[in-house]
Amino acid sequence: MSSTIIDSKIFGDMFSDAAMRHVWSDENRTAKYLDIERALAKVQGELGIIPKEAADEIVKNCEPSQIDWVKLKAKTEQIGYPIIAVVNQINANCRDKLGEYCHWGATTQDITDTAAVLQIREALALVEADLKDISGSLAKLAKAHRNTPIIGRSNLQQATPITFGYKMASILAGIERHRERLQQLKPRVLVGEFGGASGTLSSLETGAMETQAGLMKELGLGQPLISWHTVRDNFAEVGAFLGIVGGSLGKIAMDVKLLMQTEVAEVFEPYAPGRGSSSTMPQKRNPISCLYIHANISVVRQLAASLMDAMVADHERSTGPWEIEWVAMPEIFCLMSGALKQTKFILAGLEVDAAQMRSNIDMTHGLVMSEAVMMGMGPYIGREYAHDLVYDICREALKQKRHLIELLAEHPEINKHVTREQLEGFCNPMNNLGQAGVMVDRVLNSIKN
């Protein structure tokens, strides 16, 4: 029986992704505990810290298929942590009490934290792949619509013409920064933990640092400079990173939602029969994926903040803040996987109506070209005076419901300086796209594979 959106049989694959749910499952987490205990025994056996015979026996019995889940649950509830319960089962399965050497010199938090880092590594690989796909889709849209005019919008009002390619390239540049951030945070985050009770490895008389180094090499993780049991900036950074990635996905969803409005109708989520329909209004085409993105990333931001609460930990081993991560980290990743999946779906099949984009530029009868007119007249009558004059003419154009160029051509302060042909050039959206194409090309040329 499921009771959360993430694990729901109905909603689970809409709010999250199956591969990400597996990463944070009980089965995978416990498998990571076993991977670490196996690697620890192997390294300590090679270093002569524990008998080689014991190491071989422990390695042989660190298999998920040997876990008794009923016993693991019961023991975890009794103790409060699962690691001892896992070690008990490994020990019990080993012959001749050789399993007593399992977990040699380690503490519960060493195994728990290192397992979480292994899960984070798997989870970030999924995020990385999704960001690459999103980048690819945005790049295709930016390239295809490099010169497709669309009205820019400021405070939800029509501003000046841009291109749809520019709009997509602007978002693409942000996604590329996220991909760069991900590469930069990996060396800080993908670092294991092996410090013993208070972090000093006092439990091992000899070979302590060699064990730590060997263990991390075996697991493919970085070796910590010093134990980080209660210094949790690494995990908080992961949450913060995912939070700002979510912000970028939310930006995409917000713009698509607004562009899908009936009165705008410039882009649409991919069509599928019945998708986005209303139970009472057959004509509707709701922005379904956008809605799920918005919901997911909003919750992720709150959960990311809780990881910063977890940083306020007491002394060398904490009393509660640590467990915040157990609750928040899986949900952050799972909800982000859903938002990433929905974003990929939108961008891969986004429907773009270039004709409607141009129609919306023209709907104000030239008023959106007022800046171009002002700047064009500036050399003749001064920019500030041109601004005030064009402002008054725009108000009159609205009042008379006439095209801006007609009133401009009639005005004596204007027609004595420029011709009707010059005014038509000022009022042509395609002449006033600025450096949009140049900027699109710069973003496209900056993309890393």
Side-chain angles (χ1 to χ4, degrees):
M1 179 177 67
S2 60
S3 58
T4 72
I5 282 291
I6 292 171
D7 294 324
S8 170
K9 293 178 182 178
I10 299 171
F11 291 107
D13 288 329
M14 300 170 74
F15 280 91
S16 63
D17 178 74
M20 190 65 80
R21 292 197 301 273
H22 169 73
V23 170
W24 297 99
S25 66
D26 287 340
E27 291 79 6
N28 192 50
R29 181 175 56 254
T30 304
K32 296 294 181 285
Y33 297 157
L34 295 169
D35 289 342
I36 299 163
E37 296 291 359
R38 181 190 304 112
L40 179 60
K42 179 178 180 230
V43 167
Q44 290 181 328
E46 291 170 350
L47 291 171
I49 294 172
I50 66 173
K52 186 67 167 60
E53 183 183 16
D56 292 343
E57 184 67 13
I58 293 165
V59 166
K60 186 173 68 174
N61 285 284
C62 285
E63 294 297 331
S65 60
Q66 296 176 308
I67 291 294
D68 184 322
W69 293 96
V70 174
K71 288 183 179 180
L72 176 55
K73 177 180 183 295
K75 196 74 172 179
T76 300
E77 290 173 352
Q78 175 192 350
I79 298 170
Y81 305 103
I83 303 304
I84 295 175
V86 170
V87 172
N88 287 164
Q89 291 198 35
I90 296 170
N91 191 1
N93 289 330
C94 291
R95 63 179 175 82
D96 303 329
K97 295 188 177 182
L98 293 173
E100 294 289 347
Y101 287 100
C102 181
H103 198 70
W104 199 256
T107 191
T108 287
Q109 191 164 354
D110 291 336
I111 309 303
T112 304
D113 281 349
T114 304
V117 171
L118 293 174
Q119 288 175 285
I120 288 171
R121 181 171 66 184
E122 289 183 359
L124 287 177
L126 297 176
V127 171
E128 185 173 8
D130 285 343
L131 287 175
K132 183 177 181 180
D133 288 345
I134 288 169
S135 178
S137 292
L138 285 167
K140 287 180 182 178
L141 288 165
K143 184 176 182 180
H145 295 283
R146 179 185 185 275
N147 300 315
T148 301
I150 183 176
I151 195 65
R153 293 178 169 93
S154 172
N155 292 315
L156 293 180
Q157 306 297 305
Q158 291 204 357
T160 59
I162 57 173
T163 69
F164 190 63
Y166 167 85
K167 192 176 186 73
M168 294 296 96
S170 179
I171 296 170
L172 171 59
I175 297 298
E176 284 298 297
R177 289 192 290 273
H178 291 323
R179 294 178 69 194
E180 183 179 4
R181 288 183 184 102
L182 178 51
Q183 298 310 315
Q184 292 169 344
L185 70 79
K186 284 182 182 179
R188 292 189 293 272
V189 171
L190 301 184
V191 174
E193 179 72 289
F194 182 70
S198 294
T200 63
L201 280 174
S202 58
S203 52
L204 296 178
E205 292 184 9
T206 60
M209 300 308 291
E210 292 80 4
T211 296
Q212 187 187 74
L215 175 61
M216 299 314 154
K217 182 178 180 181
E218 186 73 20
L219 296 171
L221 298 175
Q223 182 181 5
L225 294 176
I226 191 170
S227 297
W228 48 274
H229 286 147
T230 51
V231 183
R232 313 300 289 185
D233 58 289
N234 48 358
F235 281 18
E237 182 178 8
V238 173
F241 166 71
L242 294 173
I244 60 173
V245 170
S248 293
L249 304 187
K251 159 65 175 172
I252 294 169
M254 179 64 77
D255 279 4
V256 171
K257 279 189 291 185
L258 293 173
L259 294 173
M260 280 184 69
Q261 290 181 105
T262 306
E263 297 83 359
V264 180
E266 292 176 351
V267 305
F268 296 91
E269 288 187 3
Y271 173 76
R275 181 175 176 81
S277 62
S278 164
S279 62
T280 59
M281 296 168 280
Q283 87 283 1
K284 290 193 72 181
R285 186 173 174 182
N286 293 318
I288 297 301
S289 288
C290 292
L291 308 184
Y292 287 107
I293 293 167
H294 190 132
N296 280 23
I297 61 103
S298 297
V299 177
V300 165
R301 282 198 299 273
Q302 307 308 312
L303 291 172
S306 73
L307 292 182
M308 296 176 194
D309 281 340
M311 293 178 67
V312 187
D314 45 297
H315 299 304
E316 283 60 57
R317 298 288 291 279
S318 66
T319 55
W322 184 40
E323 283 79 357
I324 294 172
E325 296 171 353
W326 304 4
V327 177
M329 193 71 80
E331 293 192 15
I332 289 172
F333 270 106
C334 287
L335 290 171
M336 275 304 301
S337 73
L340 287 162
K341 180 168 67 174
Q342 296 287 359
T343 304
K344 288 196 300 179
F345 171 78
I346 291 173
L347 294 176
L350 190 70
E351 297 180 15
V352 179
D353 191 334
Q356 182 65 19
M357 290 176 179
R358 180 54 197 255
S359 178
N360 285 342
I361 293 176
D362 296 335
M363 70 185 295
T364 64
H365 305 297
L367 292 181
V368 295
M369 303 309 301
S370 63
E371 180 195 54
V373 175
M374 176 192 73
M375 295 303 295
M377 293 303 302
Y380 300 103
I381 62 176
R383 193 207 67 82
E384 189 171 347
Y385 178 62
H387 174 277
D388 294 341
L389 179 61
V390 173
Y391 177 89
D392 291 337
I393 293 173
C394 287
R395 304 285 74 73
E396 193 62 29
L398 284 168
K399 182 179 178 180
Q400 297 184 28
K401 294 183 170 53
R402 294 176 63 194
H403 199 287
L404 177 64
I405 197 169
E406 300 300 330
L407 276 74
L408 291 170
E410 293 172 0
H411 201 285
E413 291 266 14
I414 292 177
N415 60 27
K416 71 179 179 182
H417 294 293
V418 296
T419 65
R420 169 87 181 212
E421 184 179 6
Q422 285 176 294
L423 288 172
E424 288 175 350
F426 297 158
C427 292
N428 184 347
M430 296 304 294
N431 292 340
N432 290 279
L433 297 175
Q435 301 302 307
V438 173
M439 294 180 184
V440 170
D441 294 342
R442 290 174 65 182
V443 172
L444 291 174
N445 291 334
S446 73
I447 295 175
K448 306 286 193 302
N449 291 330

